[in-house]
């Protein structure tokens, strides 16, 4: 039986608190209780689907929760429960009594004890010039600029390793030798690292055509200039759950017009919206691609990831947007780098 006391939240608690609980706890589930009675559950996927529907991070958790979760009683046969959870791909089942009061939590890991690593390959894009970070990148490639006590790309690699990924490709071009010298074949980290060497700059997707063999599993592709605490397991789960062949991580971006926006019909003013706030989802630079999508990328020419998604959409294939609510920062400019360093010191990137 898994501990659950730190996983409980009332139905009027904020979504932001549930998101923080999911990040802190290995169980990856929140139990929504009112008067000790189970009224719902919240998973990472529930929150991200809510964000895509327009639910804000400060809304009540009842806006995103699953109000009809699968439950079991104390005397439920554990073998039957394991078979059910495996068949339905359910990771957790709350245990309740006859009055619907929560008495425990069982995870599939409790029943199976499977801590296997992920075989999905990961490609880290590290070939950029880092022009906006000059003069810092005149002699040091952007992925090797330090944030805290280690290079940016090393922090990314170790984040994946912490989440049990072990097969990596690093796409290199500018100052490739420095990057290869630092990471080697991955032995120092206990993982396998190979390199995709671009003789010419191939864009944010073209380097995937240099893979030595075709992948057989969905592949994670990530820009090598990001700092994030995103759960890559949750990303893969979401990709599979949505039956997507190409998934893009997105971030919410707010833009407030600093003036009153006037709507007109011919010469008549019909409304005035004072300093409206517009919200958008923007590309966060992390993707999951199925093998057949990677195989469709044109060889020998520049190709950006947005073009890949445009082709997938035009062909009528399934895509998905995975909203990131965790810490995320794109190191594009010097002030972004300084902010990342400050966040490390303050612990805001944990």
């Amino acid at each position: 039986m898994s501990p659950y006391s730190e996983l409980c939240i009332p139905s009027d608690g904020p979504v932001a608190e549930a998101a923080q609980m999911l990040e802190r706890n290995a169980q990856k589930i929140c139990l929504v209780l009112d008067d000790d009675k189970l009224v719902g559950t919240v998973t990472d996927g529930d929150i991200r689907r809510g964000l895509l529907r327009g639910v804000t991070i400060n809304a009540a958790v009842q806006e995103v929760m699953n109000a009809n979760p699968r439950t079991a009683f104390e005397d439920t046969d554990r073998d039957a429960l394991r078979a059910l959870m495996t068949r339905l791909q359910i990771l957790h089942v709350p245990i309740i009594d006859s009055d619907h009061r929560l008495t425990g939590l069982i995870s599939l890991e409790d029943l199976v004890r499977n801590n296997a690593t992920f075989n999905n390959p990961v490609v880290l894009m590290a070939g950029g010039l880092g022009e906006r970070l000059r003069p810092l990148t005149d002699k040091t490639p952007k992925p090797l600029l330090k944030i805290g006590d280690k290079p940016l790309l090393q922090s990314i690699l170790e984040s994946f390793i912490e989440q049990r990924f072990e097969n990596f490709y690093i796409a290199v071009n500018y100052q490739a030798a420095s990057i290869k010298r630092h990471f080697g074949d991955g032995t120092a980290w206990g993982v396998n690292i190979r390199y995709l060497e671009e003789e010419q700059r191939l864009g944010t997707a073209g380097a995937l055509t240099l893979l030595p063999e075709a992948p057989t599993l969905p592949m994670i592709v990530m820009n090598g200039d990001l700092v994030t605490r995103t759960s890559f397991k949750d990303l893969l789960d979401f990709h599979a759950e949505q039956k997507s062949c190409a998934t893009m991580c997105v971030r919410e971006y707010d833009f407030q017009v600093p003036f009153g926006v006037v709507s007109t019909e011919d010469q008549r003013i019909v409304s005035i919206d004072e300093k409206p706030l517009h919200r958008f989802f923007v590309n966060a630079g992390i993707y999951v691609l199925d093998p057949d999508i990677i195989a469709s990328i044109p060889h020998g020419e520049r190709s950006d990831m947005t073009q890949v998604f445009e082709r997938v959409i035009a062909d009528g294939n399934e895509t998905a947007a995975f909203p990131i609510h965790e810490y995320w920062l794109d190191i594009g400019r010097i002030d972004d780098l300084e902010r990342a360093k400050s966040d490390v010191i303050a612990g805001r990137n944990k």
Side-chain angles (χ1 to χ4, degrees):
M1 193 86 70
S2 298
Y4 65 89
S5 60
E6 297 182 354
L7 308 178
C8 300
I9 186 171
S11 61
D12 59 357
V15 172
E17 182 179 343
Q20 292 170 0
M21 292 168 66
L22 290 171
E23 290 180 35
R24 289 195 305 266
N25 293 282
Q27 296 298 334
K28 297 298 184 183
I29 191 171
C30 288
L31 306 170
V32 185
L33 303 183
D34 284 337
D35 298 325
D36 293 328
K37 293 186 177 181
L38 183 74
V39 296
T41 59
V42 178
T43 65
D44 182 84
D46 294 326
I47 290 178
R48 296 186 202 272
R49 283 188 292 272
L51 294 175
L52 290 174
R53 294 199 310 271
V55 177
T56 68
I57 201 72
N58 294 316
V61 76
Q62 62 189 0
E63 297 294 323
V64 300
M65 73 179 187
N66 173 12
N68 296 292
R70 180 84 57 173
T71 59
F73 296 111
E74 282 281 4
D75 58 355
T76 301
D77 181 82
R78 292 304 190 256
D79 288 337
L81 186 58
R82 182 180 65 248
L84 176 69
M85 294 174 70
T86 301
R87 179 168 58 84
L88 299 181
Q89 296 185 317
I90 298 172
L91 299 181
H92 302 89
V93 171
I95 305 301
I96 58 173
D97 63 16
S98 58
D99 293 322
H100 226 74
R101 295 185 185 278
L102 183 69
T103 63
L105 176 69
I106 285 185
S107 73
L108 185 58
E109 187 173 359
D110 291 333
L111 300 175
V112 178
R113 293 297 177 192
N114 180 14
N115 291 308
T117 57
F118 291 95
N119 291 322
N120 301 75
V122 177
V123 176
L124 303 177
M125 295 294 184
L129 298 175
E131 292 178 303
R132 291 179 295 168
L133 284 164
R134 286 179 173 166
L136 299 178
T137 53
D138 286 343
K139 295 183 178 180
T140 303
K142 178 163 63 170
L144 293 186
L145 293 176
K146 284 194 174 182
I147 296 178
D149 62 352
K150 63 185 67 173
L152 168 59
L153 189 60
Q154 182 176 329
S155 295
I156 295 172
L157 177 72
E158 291 176 354
S159 178
F160 275 99
I161 294 171
E162 179 185 320
Q163 298 183 49
R164 307 202 308 275
F165 290 83
E166 58 184 8
N167 295 310
F168 297 91
Y169 295 93
I170 301 179
V172 293
N173 176 258
Y174 177 64
Q175 297 195 32
S178 297
I179 296 173
K180 294 173 67 176
R181 186 164 53 248
H182 183 86
F183 292 100
D185 63 2
T187 299
W189 288 269
V191 297
N192 178 46
I193 296 178
R194 289 184 280 178
Y195 296 90
L196 308 178
E197 300 193 51
E198 301 178 54
E199 294 182 2
Q200 59 183 15
R201 295 175 54 74
L202 294 173
T204 55
L208 299 179
T209 62
L210 303 177
L211 289 165
E213 63 269 333
T216 58
L217 294 171
M219 171 178 280
I220 297 178
V221 182
M222 178 172 171
N223 293 348
D225 56 1
L226 302 177
V227 182
T228 184
R229 294 303 299 170
T230 299
S231 167
F232 303 113
K233 176 186 180 302
D234 290 342
L235 171 58
L236 287 174
D237 288 344
F238 188 87
H239 177 80
E241 177 185 294
Q242 301 302 312
K243 296 180 174 57
S244 171
C245 62
T247 295
M248 175 187 293
C249 291
V250 296
R251 285 282 293 175
E252 190 176 272
Y253 178 81
D254 296 344
F255 171 73
Q256 186 163 30
V257 179
F259 309 102
V261 175
V262 179
S263 297
T264 64
E265 289 181 0
D266 297 323
Q267 75 280 6
R268 296 178 58 232
I269 296 174
V270 295
S271 67
I272 302 175
D273 192 359
E274 187 63 30
K275 297 180 180 179
L277 181 67
H278 296 280
R279 288 189 168 92
F280 309 92
F281 283 115
V282 297
N283 184 354
I286 309 172
Y287 318 91
V288 180
L289 301 178
D290 278 357
D292 57 337
I293 300 303
I294 294 170
S296 71
I297 299 173
H299 283 250
E301 61 185 71
R302 182 183 179 90
S303 183
D304 288 322
M305 199 62 76
T306 51
Q307 295 173 304
V308 172
F309 274 80
E310 287 167 355
R311 283 195 296 269
V312 173
I313 294 167
D315 290 341
N317 293 317
E318 289 294 328
T319 61
F322 180 81
I324 294 177
H325 56 73
E326 300 91 341
Y327 181 89
W328 178 94
L329 183 62
D330 172 31
I331 311 299
R333 300 168 299 179
I334 289 179
D335 57 346
D336 297 323
L337 182 65
E338 294 305 316
R339 177 183 168 187
K341 292 178 179 179
S342 298
D343 288 347
V344 167
I345 294 172
R348 287 188 289 268
N349 66 331
K350 301 298 183 183

